[in-house]
Amino acid sequence: MAVDPLIELHDVNKHFGPLHVLRDINLTVGRGEVVVVIGPSGSGKSTLCRAINRLETVESGTILLEGEPLPAEGKDLARLRADVGMVFQSFNLFAHKTVLANISLAQVKVRGRKREEADQRSRELLDRVGLADQAAKFPAQLSGGQQQRVAIARALAMDPKALLFDEPTSALDPEMINEVLEVMQQLAREGMTMVVVTHEMGFARSAANRVVFMADGRIVEDRTPEQFFTAPESDRAKDFLSKIL
Ligand code: ADP
Ligand code: MG
C-alpha cells in the first residue's frame, strides 16, 4: 500500500507506576488502512488506542496525526477527539439523552453545526447503521448491538479522519456481534482509516490490511492477516493463536 501516513507513533513509552505498558512502540497507520490489534489481556492494546486520542498521555516518543503532534489541551484537544473518534466496549452513550441527541450533541458543540443541520446528519447516519426508527428512544431501550451502532454513528457524525475501536463487540451477546461487525466492514470498504482492537479473527482476516500483535507492551508482529494467521513468526503469537483459534 502506498504510504500516506495518517497516524504515526515513534518510540512511544508509557508506564503505569512500575508497569511498563507501552515499550518503544513504532506504528504507522496509512490513510484508508484498517489495522487490527490483537494480543493477550494486559498487553497494552487499550492504552495504545487511548494514547492515540490522548485519553492517556505518554512519557516519551511522539504521536503524530497528519504529521502534527497531538494537541495537549483545550479546543484543539476536543477537535482531536472528533477527528479521531473512539468506540468503546461499553458504548458510553449518554443515558439521559435520546439516540438522536446522543449523535447531534458534539456536532453542535465541537463542529459548530446548527441544531437542525446536526439532527439531519444524525438521521442520515442512523439510517446508515440500520436504526432509522430508533431516533427518539433512550439508550436503555435499545439492545447492546443497537447501542453500539449508535456509538458508531455518533463517532461518524464528527466526519472523523480515523476511528479507533476498543473491543467493540466484547460486551455483546453473540447474536448481536455480526450486526456491529457488518457496519465496521462497510466502513472499511468505504475507505475509513481504522484501528480495531478485537478478538474477532474473522473480521481481522476479511477487513484488516495489517494485523499488529502485541505482548507485554511491545509490538511483536506487524504483518498482513494472511502472513500472520498462516505463519506467525513469534512464539508469543503462535501460543496466542493456538488458544483462540
Ligand atoms: P489490554 O487492553 O491489552 O488488555 P491495557 O492497555 O488495558 O491492556 O493495560 C495494560 C496494562 O496496564 C495492564 O496490566 C493493566 O492492568 C494496566 N493498566 C491499564 N490502565 C491502568 C491504569 N489507569 N492504572 C494502572 N494500571 C493500568
Ligand atoms: Mg483492553
Side-chain angles (χ1 to χ4, degrees):
M1 166 170 295
V3 180
D4 172 12
L6 183 67
I7 300 167
E8 295 166 75
L9 291 89
H10 297 287
D11 298 318
V12 167
N13 281 276
K14 166 132 190 116
H15 288 78
F16 284 118
L19 200 63
H20 199 171
V21 288
L22 296 179
R23 298 175 189 244
D24 302 323
I25 297 290
N26 286 286
L27 178 69
T28 299
V29 181
R31 204 179 297 272
E33 241 189 333
V34 177
V35 175
V36 163
V37 180
I38 66 175
S41 179
S43 56
K45 307 180 299 294
S46 292
T47 306
L48 175 73
C49 282
R50 292 168 61 81
I52 294 172
N53 76 351
R54 229 167 185 287
L55 290 168
E56 302 284 355
T57 55
V58 300
E59 288 136 22
S60 65
T62 48
I63 306 179
L64 309 176
L65 178 67
E66 294 181 317
E68 300 285 335
L70 300 187
E73 56 192 12
K75 284 209 158 135
D76 291 341
L77 184 56
R79 201 168 300 128
L80 167 71
R81 293 193 181 139
D83 284 344
V84 182
M86 183 138 168
V87 175
F88 300 88
Q89 180 175 333
S90 52
F91 325 136
N92 292 13
L93 298 175
F94 302 113
H96 57 288
K97 294 202 181 294
T98 64
V99 163
L100 190 77
N102 262 280
I103 305 172
S104 292
L105 189 68
Q107 295 183 62
V108 174
K109 284 199 167 170
V110 179
R111 293 300 195 211
R113 290 181 194 150
K114 293 211 167 64
R115 183 60 193 258
E116 305 73 56
E117 185 193 349
D119 284 348
Q120 171 66 27
R121 176 94 169 107
S122 299
R123 289 184 194 281
E124 285 165 18
L125 287 165
L126 277 174
D127 189 38
R128 187 159 150 202
V129 300
L131 296 172
D133 48 352
Q134 307 293 323
K137 295 222 176 121
F138 287 86
Q141 296 173 287
L142 304 185
S143 71
Q146 290 173 321
Q147 288 185 58
Q148 193 59 299
R149 284 183 283 150
V150 172
I152 294 171
R154 182 174 61 175
L156 288 172
M158 298 289 95
D159 300 322
K161 292 171 179 166
L163 287 178
L164 312 172
F165 294 83
D166 191 2
E167 301 202 27
T169 60
S170 295
L172 300 177
D173 291 333
E175 72 272 20
M176 293 171 190
I177 290 176
N178 277 337
E179 68 193 45
V180 172
L181 292 179
E182 276 165 21
V183 169
M184 294 168 60
Q185 289 271 12
Q186 181 62 29
L187 290 174
R189 277 195 294 271
E190 290 167 5
M192 177 63 72
T193 306
M194 296 162 58
V195 176
V196 183
V197 179
T198 186
H199 301 296
E200 295 294 331
M201 296 301 125
F203 177 84
R205 279 177 190 273
S206 62
N209 300 104
R210 281 155 53 207
V211 171
V212 166
F213 176 74
M214 288 186 74
D216 299 328
R218 287 184 202 283
I219 292 178
V220 179
E221 304 206 21
D222 180 350
R223 313 171 68 204
T224 66
E226 170 73 14
Q227 290 168 333
F228 181 76
F229 289 114
T230 54
E233 277 176 345
S234 62
D235 289 341
R236 290 300 299 262
K238 284 177 197 163
D239 181 55
F240 179 78
L241 287 172
S242 75
K243 285 177 179 144
I244 62 158
L245 292 181

